[in-house]
Amino acid sequence: MDRLENKKLGIFGGTFDPIHYAHLVIAEKAREEFNLDFVIFVPCGIPPHKKKVYASSEDRKKMIEIAIKNNPAFRVSDIEILKNTPSYTYETVSEIKRKYPDFEIFLIIGEDSFYDIPNWYKADKLVREVIFLVAKRSERKQMSINFPVIYKIIHSPYIDISSTYIRSCIFENKSVKYLIPDEVIEYIKKKGLYGRKNY
């Protein structure tokens, strides 16, 4: 069957410190449900709100590359980590739109971030450029904010994994198998990330 709809791409930003299976499931379910041609993972360089980052930009990008290498619809961009200034979603979206002018842009975010959109840099302009795809973290039926946001819910399973939990496990020499891909675990082990001594 001929494909008539517009080309679509998803942008999935975050610290990915480290990337884990919840990130991958959300990205794949978004790709499938909304018929995205591909999803671009965008690890942040300097977070705008001074959130602490534990692994280097290069290591976080490499872990994403390892995690997504078997999915031809997944890509990674260093657009933010190459900057020497804080990264803002509006600027990233603008740059990606210039690179892919024929694509409709979907921004993949978590439910917590959804409620914070009004506080984002140039949020009033950003909401006119993208459709938000929101991964819910609870069974709450209604989602709403007093802001003109176009959004859709990603029907992905609730997977309660966080990078914070993974880092704490590694720091305490506890297993993170089945939380992140095995090859990412090996990379963390090889590079000695997250304070691990003998993992």
Side-chain angles (χ1 to χ4, degrees):
M1 184 174 72
D2 290 336
R3 186 173 175 194
L4 301 176
E5 66 267 28
N6 294 331
K7 294 185 288 186
K8 304 173 181 178
L9 70 84
I11 299 173
F12 194 0
T15 53
F16 300 111
D17 196 19
I19 190 169
H20 51 68
Y21 276 126
H23 294 135
L24 298 169
V25 169
I26 287 168
E28 177 64 8
K29 286 301 180 182
R31 182 204 63 77
E32 178 184 55
E33 184 172 359
F34 300 100
N35 204 20
L36 306 180
D37 291 271
F38 53 91
V39 174
I40 303 174
F41 289 75
V42 183
C44 74
I46 303 173
H49 304 298
K50 297 183 178 179
K51 180 180 178 181
K52 183 174 175 59
V53 178
Y54 294 84
S56 71
S57 299
E58 294 75 16
D59 283 329
R60 289 181 289 114
K61 177 174 179 281
K62 183 62 179 178
M63 286 187 282
I64 295 171
E65 290 173 343
I66 293 169
I68 69 174
K69 68 178 184 178
N70 293 322
N71 190 329
F74 286 176
R75 306 178 184 181
V76 62
S77 170
D78 58 7
I79 189 172
E80 291 191 358
I81 64 178
L82 291 177
K83 291 183 176 181
N84 293 319
T85 56
S87 302
Y88 294 99
T89 301
Y90 174 75
E91 295 174 345
T92 298
V93 167
S94 297
E95 289 188 47
I96 290 176
K97 287 196 76 163
R98 283 194 290 271
K99 185 174 182 180
Y100 299 97
D102 299 327
F103 283 76
E104 187 174 11
I105 307 294
F106 293 78
L107 192 62
I108 300 169
I109 63 172
E111 183 176 353
D112 295 345
S113 295
F114 172 78
Y115 296 111
D116 194 46
I117 289 172
N119 300 317
W120 289 14
Y121 175 74
K122 293 189 176 180
D124 57 330
K125 294 183 178 180
L126 176 64
V127 297
R128 296 198 293 267
E129 301 292 334
V130 303
I131 295 173
F132 290 84
L133 302 181
V134 184
K136 294 186 70 175
R137 297 193 57 151
S138 68
E139 296 285 353
R140 182 187 297 132
K141 289 185 171 65
Q142 289 295 112
M143 287 181 58
S144 64
I145 55 175
N146 186 23
F147 209 70
V149 178
I150 300 174
Y151 73 95
K152 301 177 185 294
I153 301 299
I154 304 168
H155 292 96
S156 59
Y158 305 124
I159 305 176
D160 191 15
I161 302 174
S162 73
S163 296
T164 300
Y165 174 71
I166 290 169
R167 291 194 304 269
S168 68
C169 285
I170 295 171
F171 184 79
E172 296 170 8
N173 291 323
K174 295 179 180 178
S175 173
V176 292
K177 191 172 181 63
Y178 307 121
L179 298 175
I180 57 179
D182 286 347
E183 289 186 58
V184 175
I185 295 175
E186 288 304 311
Y187 182 86
I188 290 170
K189 177 180 178 181
K190 177 182 176 182
K191 298 299 292 284
L193 303 180
Y194 308 120
R196 180 198 49 76
K197 297 297 183 183
N198 297 295
Y199 184 71

